[in-house]
């Protein structure tokens, strides 16, 4: 049996870049501004114009390439299991339960924010068969059979949070030897790809993706501020209580 390891309790928030909470406030204000603009109709014309352009520019090679790249944003059968598997690998190798806390934190943040926002805003997808003036609206009153979970884009928010977690766990598995360029590529390329592909494929309105970037970055910063090494654990887990310092 593993012997409990003394872990220094440090509950100070971890640094993020940029460090100021003003940046977090700006992200929330930006998300609120986009939502308010949609509610007043200010950006609906832009969304409709982007949708029509996308439908008019769907040559097969580009369309199917976009479909393939769009798969990298699937949270349920790809990103969550992948992050969980990496966390289990680090947990087993380093005998620390801390990586699992990071994965659980990401899952809880997504569950408590994105889902309720989608239900509250009740926005149809661009591919909806409803008249354009109704399908583009936010805070809609859609029939039960209509896809109404468009705002914000879950693909984009998933990409921001889960690829951030995956980058941290890969850093742990490589004992900190993951090259900074590779780390940044894992962190930032998927959200950009998902913003473009979900809009181009008309899975989401353009403003669904923009709002998802704003709220996703805010959630990501909250997740990475948490001092995962310092959180107290229940007695049964203290035998696996070792530091998890794999942030770059």
């Amino acid at each position: 049996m593993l012997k409990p390891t003394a872990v220094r309790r440090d509950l100070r928030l971890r640094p993020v870049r940029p460090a100021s909470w003003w940046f977090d406030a700006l992200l929330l204000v930006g998300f609120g501004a986009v939502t308010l603009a949609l509610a007043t109709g200010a950006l609906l014309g832009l969304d409709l114009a982007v949708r029509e352009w996308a439908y008019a520019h769907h040559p097969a090679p580009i369309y199917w390439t976009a479909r393939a790249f769009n798969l990298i944003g699937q949270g349920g059968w790809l990103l969550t299991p992948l992050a969980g598997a990496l966390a289990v690998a680090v947990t087993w190798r380093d005998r620390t339960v801390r990586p699992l806390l990071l994965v659980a934190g990401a899952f809880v943040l997504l569950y408590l924010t994105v889902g309720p926002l989608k239900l509250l805003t009740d926005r149809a997808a661009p591919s909806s068969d409803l008249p354009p003036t109704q399908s583009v609206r936010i805070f809609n009153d859609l029939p039960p059979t209509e896809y109404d979970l468009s705002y914000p884009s879950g693909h984009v928010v998933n990409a921001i949070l889960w690829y951030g977690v995956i980058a941290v766990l890969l850093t742990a598995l490589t004992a900190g030897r993951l090259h900074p360029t590779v780390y940044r590529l894992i962190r930032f390329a998927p959200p950009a790809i998902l913003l473009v592909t979900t809009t181009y494929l008309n899975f989401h309105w353009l403003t669904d993706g923009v709002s998802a970037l704003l709220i996703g970055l805010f959630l990501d910063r909250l997740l990475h501020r948490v001092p995962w090494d310092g959180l107290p654990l229940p007695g049964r887990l203290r035998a696996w209580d070792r530091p998890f310092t794999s942030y770059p």
Side-chain angles (χ1 to χ4, degrees):
M1 176 179 287
L2 293 173
K3 294 181 179 180
T5 303
V7 176
R8 181 182 177 185
R9 302 295 176 202
D10 186 356
L11 294 178
R12 290 175 298 178
L13 295 180
R14 294 188 58 87
V16 294
R17 297 178 185 175
S20 174
W21 283 95
W22 279 107
F23 189 75
D24 302 78
L26 287 174
L27 292 172
L28 287 179
V29 169
F31 177 79
V34 173
T35 305
L36 180 62
L38 290 172
T40 58
L43 297 175
L44 302 185
L46 173 63
D47 275 333
L48 287 170
V50 171
R51 182 182 77 165
E52 295 310 310
W53 181 92
Y55 273 133
H57 296 82
H58 270 180
I62 297 178
Y63 174 83
W64 288 109
T65 300
R67 285 292 298 264
F69 274 108
N70 191 254
L71 294 176
I72 67 174
Q74 295 292 335
W77 59 263
L78 175 63
L79 297 180
T80 306
L82 176 58
L86 290 173
V88 169
V90 178
T91 293
W92 183 257
R93 188 195 65 181
D94 296 344
R95 299 299 189 266
T96 172
V97 75
R98 301 284 173 176
L100 297 176
L101 301 182
L102 176 63
V103 172
F107 183 85
V108 169
L109 272 180
L110 287 167
Y111 183 81
L112 293 179
T113 55
V114 177
L117 284 171
K118 286 176 174 290
L119 292 173
L120 175 65
T121 53
D122 199 23
R123 193 184 200 191
S127 56
S128 171
D129 293 329
L130 294 172
T133 54
Q134 183 178 359
S135 63
V136 74
R137 278 169 31 199
I138 196 172
F139 300 114
N140 227 318
D141 186 18
L142 299 173
T145 57
E146 179 68 31
Y147 179 81
D148 58 352
L149 301 175
S150 188
Y151 187 89
S153 168
H155 276 67
V156 174
V157 180
N158 279 338
I160 293 173
L161 260 70
W162 284 124
Y163 281 103
V165 170
I166 288 168
V168 170
L169 295 171
L170 287 175
T171 300
L173 282 175
T174 58
R177 291 190 293 270
L178 188 68
H179 194 280
T181 301
V182 176
Y183 179 89
R184 288 191 291 268
L185 187 65
I186 295 171
R187 288 280 280 127
F188 303 123
I193 292 171
L194 268 298
L195 174 64
V196 172
T197 57
T198 55
T199 304
Y200 174 73
L201 295 168
N202 279 317
F203 292 167
H204 282 283
W205 304 97
L206 173 62
T207 51
D208 294 342
V210 172
S211 66
L213 283 177
L214 295 168
I215 196 66
L217 287 172
F218 172 76
L219 295 176
D220 179 78
R221 287 167 62 82
L222 286 183
L223 184 71
H224 288 274
R225 285 183 189 272
V226 176
W228 298 107
D229 275 347
L231 296 180
L233 296 176
R236 293 183 179 181
L237 295 179
R238 288 174 189 165
W240 291 68
D241 190 3
R242 286 167 172 77
F244 174 53
T245 54
S246 299
Y247 288 84

